[in-house]
Amino acid sequence: MPRAFITGITGQDGQHLAEFLHGKGYEVFGMVKGQNNPKFTAMRDEFPYVEPVPGDLADLPSLVKAMELTQPDEVYNLGAISFVALSFNQAELTANITGLGVLRMLEAVRMVGGAQNNPIRYYQASSSEMFGKVREIPQNERTPFHPRSPYGCAKVFGHDITVNYRESYDLYACSGILFNHEGPRRGLEFVTRKVTNAAARIKLGLQEELVLGNLDFKRDWGYAGDYVKAMWLMLQQDEPDDYVVATGETHSGEELVSLAFSEVGIDDWQRYVRQDQKFFRPAEVDLLIGDPSKAQTKLGWTREVDFPGLIKMMVANDLRIESAKR
Ligand code: NAP
């Protein structure tokens, strides 16, 4: 039975990946931070097969211990301070966890290593936010980075140090440069889920308005369930490499809102939406659109859920959750 170790198990991608790897017959270990993590307690019933392992990306000894204890074949480093807005307020924490945390994971992997004929394979969760003020459209694996947030800067460090450890120590280490991916498990702080949840609540009479920041931005949005498959595929290749994972389509903030509201039968969404400067980013990422050709050609990866399908799925989930609260 192959063994997988996942950091960020309580996050959106950690849950999708655990489900996917369990389906493939893996033994799944999930790193849980804190002494009584309420998010992990909440997911226990849905994921009884995930073996919790204590640890924190700020604490190298805990990561080494986790590697020694679990002896994984594959490590997926998904843990991070991942919310861009928070990274502006807590830049040092973001640099420590999202940036230096990667170095600590790589060190733990290098120190423990895995069996000699079967070294640990490492996946790093890089991000399209590294492209920031984009230098070309669409963005691919060779597009230069220009991050526009402390989060983006920390991810650039994490990405570069992963490449450096691969080249310096011959680690099987891959970076997936993933564009935005969403789904019913997305945290409520993220704009897609904030919008789908508000559309559901407004429809049910539980909320009167939705307050957002800038709506002019454009993103390449996919479904998280499709993207975790690409992570796994990267670790099944003969040679480690970096891949952009994206849909190749871009949609505006306005399209997102309009689609979510029309899913609940509201066509005049402008009546319910107000913009507030406090939700504007100090520096915005205007146009993200990825070129997934390499992942499609070399990994054979394709996405299954399109943008309208994704929003439909998220709104249906929020309607179900919010109706149960009434
Ligand atoms: P998420 O839902 O925000 O989950 C983040 C995870 O990181 C949580 O499990 C959190 O644990 C954990 N974490 C935070 N601080 C930690 C620490 N000090 N030590 C260990 N774990 C810690 O993020 P996601 O959407 O699943 O994304 C997964 C990864 O992909 C992240 O690295 C993210 O930056 C990256 N990424 C995401 C997207 C996207 O669109 N979703 C796109 C590109 C890249 P707690 O719950 O205990 O706080």
Side-chain angles (χ1 to χ4, degrees):
M1 208 178 191
R3 298 156 76 89
F5 177 83
I6 303 173
T7 72
I9 193 74
T10 51
Q12 170 188 255
D13 291 6
Q15 294 177 42
H16 277 284
L17 184 64
E19 200 167 62
F20 177 81
L21 293 176
H22 177 67
K24 290 241 167 249
Y26 279 69
E27 195 170 350
V28 180
F29 299 91
M31 190 172 85
V32 181
K33 86 176 202 294
Q35 58 192 49
N36 183 14
N37 190 316
K39 284 202 214 158
F40 187 73
T41 310
M43 58 180 272
R44 277 262 46 169
D45 288 349
E46 202 182 338
F47 301 91
Y49 48 81
V50 172
E51 192 66 45
V53 178
D56 196 302
L57 287 167
D59 182 45
L60 177 61
S62 73
L63 303 177
V64 174
K65 260 187 228 140
M67 291 297 100
E68 286 172 346
L69 182 79
T70 58
Q71 296 289 325
D73 300 294
E74 296 173 11
V75 167
Y76 295 86
N77 184 31
L78 311 183
I81 300 297
S82 70
F83 188 43
V84 173
L86 181 72
S87 81
F88 282 104
N89 287 325
Q90 298 184 19
E92 186 182 345
L93 179 73
T94 305
N96 190 21
I97 305 304
T98 307
L100 277 176
V102 183
L103 174 63
R104 296 188 191 100
M105 275 308 300
L106 287 163
E107 268 303 313
V109 166
R110 190 165 80 92
M111 286 159 81
V112 178
Q116 238 175 12
N117 58 352
N118 187 23
I120 294 174
R121 295 185 166 211
Y122 176 85
Y123 172 84
Q124 173 55 29
S126 287
S127 165
S128 55
E129 290 282 332
M130 301 190 303
F131 297 123
K133 193 169 182 181
V134 299
R135 305 280 183 88
E136 61 180 342
I137 296 168
Q139 297 89 48
N140 63 37
E141 293 79 6
R142 293 173 308 284
T143 304
F145 300 138
H146 187 144
R148 296 271 278 171
S149 62
Y151 170 79
C153 294
K155 282 288 180 191
V156 171
F157 174 77
H159 181 85
D160 286 345
I161 200 70
T162 301
V163 174
N164 180 260
Y165 267 53
R166 178 168 75 217
E167 293 174 355
S168 305
Y169 305 114
D170 208 19
L171 286 191
Y172 189 107
C174 301
S175 254
I177 307 175
L178 269 53
F179 281 62
N180 288 67
H181 46 280
E182 320 291 320
R185 291 179 173 133
R186 192 61 147 151
L188 281 163
E189 66 275 32
F190 292 91
V191 68
T192 45
R193 184 78 197 288
K194 182 174 172 181
V195 168
T196 60
N197 184 260
R201 287 176 60 82
I202 288 169
K203 174 69 182 175
L204 296 169
L206 298 169
Q207 185 172 325
E208 285 178 0
E209 65 169 5
L210 166 62
V211 187
L212 293 169
N214 175 27
L215 282 178
D216 291 340
F217 67 88
K218 289 190 158 182
R219 291 286 186 280
D220 179 329
W221 276 301
Y223 171 51
D226 287 340
Y227 284 37
V228 296
K229 187 172 178 200
M231 299 176 187
W232 174 76
L233 283 168
M234 285 178 216
L235 299 198
Q236 313 311 311
Q237 306 306 306
D238 291 338
E239 297 296 329
D241 205 345
D242 306 321
Y243 297 88
V244 161
V245 180
T247 69
E249 283 171 21
T250 196
H251 299 274
S252 68
E254 268 198 32
E255 268 181 272
L256 161 67
V257 177
S258 150
L259 203 53
F261 276 75
S262 75
E263 272 302 317
V264 296
I266 300 175
D267 293 326
D268 53 347
W269 59 267
Q270 292 88 344
R271 270 186 59 201
Y272 302 94
V273 175
R274 181 166 64 80
Q275 285 181 285
D276 188 324
Q277 280 291 335
K278 88 171 176 219
F279 292 114
F280 281 57
R281 291 184 183 184
E284 184 52 275
V285 172
D286 295 319
L287 175 58
L288 289 178
I289 176 163
D291 172 5
S293 318
K294 182 175 166 184
Q296 287 169 340
T297 315
K298 290 200 164 175
L299 303 177
W301 176 81
T302 47
R303 59 116 181 223
E304 281 171 24
V305 178
D306 63 8
F307 183 62
L310 171 66
I311 302 306
K312 195 183 182 69
M313 180 196 306
M314 292 177 71
V315 171
N317 174 65
D318 280 314
L319 279 172
R320 186 179 51 74
I321 292 174
E322 296 299 333
S323 302
K325 287 184 191 164
R326 282 209 298 179

